[in-house]
Every structure is written in structure tokens, then in C-alpha cells.
Amino acid sequence: MNSYTNQDLQILIATMNRSDLSFLEAMFQCKVSEIKYHLIVVNQSKTENLSSEYDNILVINDHSFGLSRSRNLAIEKASAAICWILDDDCILMDNAVDKVIAAHNHCEHEIITFQTAIRKDLLFRNYAVVEETLSRKQVENVLSPEITFKRESIHESSIQFDTRFGLGAQFGDSENYVFLTDTIDKNLRVQFVPQTIVIHDAHTSSDEPANNRVIYARGALAARENLWTAQMKQFKYVFFLWRKGYVKGWRNLYDKYMVFNHGMNDYLTGFEGHRIGHPDL
């Protein structure tokens, strides 16, 4: 059995354009001076510089953009045994840190994921009711603030977030899935624990399947995973959009088909020209 304590955890927070730490008060439901946990805050901004007067809050100012880049900077600077990825629009549940530490103490898995709630009495989705080791398919729905990991295992495996995926990157979605499947490919284990640790809005940036940004990223993801099955996934995704009524009309379906196709090709070639004049990609 492990013997981690709350002092062995660092919470890694990505944010943008912040000039002070007051946004943390909504997240932790207390004054900044009363936050007792160790935080690393990565603030990406061209104009705003953030600073911290608190020993337990490390601030990194980054003048480049990209959510995956922000995650990697925080992981690189982390020093605690356990890390927890958090977004700046989450609210911590009561005893959330205690739940994370308890899970890592009784489970040897390198990555442990948890549950998100929309409000205290309503979960974000239908989660499993028992602990289980997650497959590649099952990690597809894992949200950022549900991910915790043993830091040393990530460093030893040389795993990073793929900076081509995620908000602010060329392919603006799927960064968590890419990260978690990369860990599985390195023989790290992902365990789900049915404990709720954060409250988050019911809507996420991935909840718009007909959005060109999401489709473009899905095309890139299909090419990244398996070039031979990518085109089959392209037809399957467009059929899904039609079957669910997200897109109507052959012309619109063809446009979505081509966005997916551009994502596949651009991932393979490194080409970014398809994004020029398309701010929705």
C-alpha cells in the first residue's frame, strides 16, 4: 500500500489572460490565501502577466497558446508524486483531494480517473458504478478534470500531451483521448474510480459533433490512430451526422465529409493551409 498525503499532490491549472489569482476563489470556494493545496497555474497571454505571493501557488506565464502546451509546461514543472489536471471553470467537490489521495493509496494504477457532476446531485454522464480498468475505447469520454496520475510514471515513459491537439492547436479537440491512449500504448494502466471530484458546466468544447473544429480534429485523430481504417471512420462519422439529424442536405454532408478529409490529410502532411480563411477549424 502507498502512503500518500495531501501534500503529495499538485493541481495543474490551465488558464488564459489572467492578471490576478481571484479566479481561484470560485474554483476552491474560499479566499486565495486560504487555499491549502499546492497549485501550478499556467497563464497563457500575450498581454497579461500573472504573479503569486503564495508559496503553495506556482505561476508560469506563457506567451504562446495551446491547451496541450499548457498541460505539458505544468507537468514539466511539477514535483509532487501525484498530479491532478484541472480547468479554470471547475469547482472542487468537498473532500475532492482526500478522494484522489485515497484512490492512489489503494490502487497501483499509474492513471486514475474520476467523475464530474453538473451539480451536486447530478452527474455529467452515466458512469460505471464500480471501479474498473479502462480500455482505449472507454477513455474516449474522460474529461480533463477527471484525470490524475502518478507523476514519475509519466516522466519515465516520456509521455506528453500532443501539442497538435486541443484548444488553441491545429486540431482543436481530443487532446485527453490522445494523451490517455498514449499512456495505454506505453503499458500504463488507467483506472476509473466512481467518486465525484469536480462540478463542471454541462457543456464542453467537444459537445458539438457537427462543428467543423471538432470534425477536423476527428479526421486527424482517425489518421493518427490507423491510416488503413481512417477512411472507413470518415464515412461512419458523416453517416452518424446524417442519422442523428445534425446535418441535413447532401451538399452540407459533403462539406462535412471534406472537413474530415482535410483533417486526415493535414495530420499526415503537416499542412495547415486548409485552416486559412476558416476560423471555425
Side-chain angles (χ1 to χ4, degrees):
M1 294 290 289
N2 298 312
S3 56
Y4 301 118
T5 71
N6 290 0
Q7 295 304 304
D8 294 312
L9 174 75
Q10 278 179 307
I11 301 175
L12 316 181
I13 303 172
T15 193
M16 293 182 65
N17 299 317
R18 301 288 187 180
S19 58
D20 62 69
L21 295 171
S22 60
F23 72 96
L24 295 173
E25 296 180 354
M27 296 177 62
F28 292 86
Q29 299 290 286
C30 66
K31 295 180 179 179
V32 176
S33 60
E34 296 173 353
I35 297 173
K36 55 186 177 181
Y37 308 118
H38 294 283
L39 315 181
I40 297 180
V41 179
V42 179
N43 178 55
Q44 293 186 329
S45 178
K46 296 288 188 184
T47 58
E48 300 291 347
N49 277 316
L50 188 62
S51 62
S52 168
E53 60 185 275
Y54 305 99
D55 293 338
N56 62 315
I57 304 177
L58 171 64
V59 168
I60 301 170
N61 287 293
D62 183 22
H63 299 304
S64 297
F65 294 100
L67 183 56
S68 288
R69 174 186 169 88
S70 178
R71 305 287 193 215
N72 288 339
L73 283 172
I75 293 171
E76 179 185 336
K77 295 297 183 181
S79 58
I82 307 297
C83 294
W84 176 10
I85 295 172
L86 210 57
D87 295 328
D88 63 359
D89 56 353
C90 294
I91 300 174
L92 272 71
M93 294 286 285
D94 294 338
N95 302 318
V97 170
D98 293 336
K99 293 175 181 176
V100 171
I101 294 301
H104 279 276
N105 275 330
H106 88 261
C107 178
E108 294 293 337
H109 284 47
E110 293 82 6
I111 302 99
I112 301 180
T113 70
F114 296 85
Q115 297 177 158
T116 298
I118 298 172
R119 55 177 189 264
K120 289 189 176 181
D121 60 344
L122 181 64
L123 293 178
F124 184 87
R125 61 181 175 86
N126 292 324
Y127 295 88
V129 297
V130 295
E131 294 188 18
E132 60 180 350
T133 299
L134 300 182
S135 66
R136 292 177 64 90
K137 177 63 177 176
Q138 288 172 306
V139 300
E140 185 176 351
N141 296 317
V142 175
L143 303 177
S144 296
E146 298 171 353
I147 300 172
T148 71
F149 55 85
K150 295 176 175 67
R151 180 184 60 84
E152 194 62 32
S153 64
I154 299 299
H155 280 297
E156 289 178 351
S157 301
S158 300
I159 295 170
Q160 292 186 317
F161 279 83
D162 189 328
T163 55
R164 295 182 70 184
F165 289 86
L167 293 176
Q170 180 177 3
F171 308 111
D173 195 66
S174 303
E175 73 282 357
N176 297 319
Y177 177 75
V178 170
F179 175 76
L180 291 173
T181 53
D182 281 351
T183 66
I184 292 173
D185 289 342
K186 290 291 184 72
N187 297 316
L188 303 187
R189 299 158 297 174
V190 182
Q191 179 81 349
F192 167 71
V193 173
Q195 295 278 345
T196 307
I197 58 174
V198 291
I199 298 174
H200 190 280
D201 189 79
H203 178 80
T204 73
S205 60
S206 300
D207 289 337
E208 301 172 353
N211 185 297
N212 283 345
R213 174 185 60 81
V214 174
I215 297 171
Y216 185 64
R218 293 295 173 89
L221 183 61
R224 185 183 196 272
E225 291 212 289
N226 189 322
L227 178 60
W228 302 109
T229 62
Q231 192 167 43
M232 179 185 69
K233 290 181 179 179
Q234 181 180 14
F235 283 108
K236 185 177 178 180
Y237 195 83
V238 172
F239 178 72
F240 158 77
L241 294 176
W242 173 79
R243 180 170 56 85
K244 291 290 187 179
Y246 290 121
V247 178
K248 298 180 180 179
W250 289 111
R251 178 61 191 177
N252 291 331
L253 281 172
Y254 176 76
D255 288 344
K256 301 301 182 183
Y257 176 91
M258 290 307 300
V259 171
F260 196 106
N261 191 71
H262 291 329
M264 291 192 303
N265 291 331
D266 291 357
Y267 177 80
L268 295 171
T269 64
F271 181 65
E272 295 197 40
H274 289 124
R275 302 176 70 207
I276 297 173
H278 292 278
D280 57 342
L281 292 184

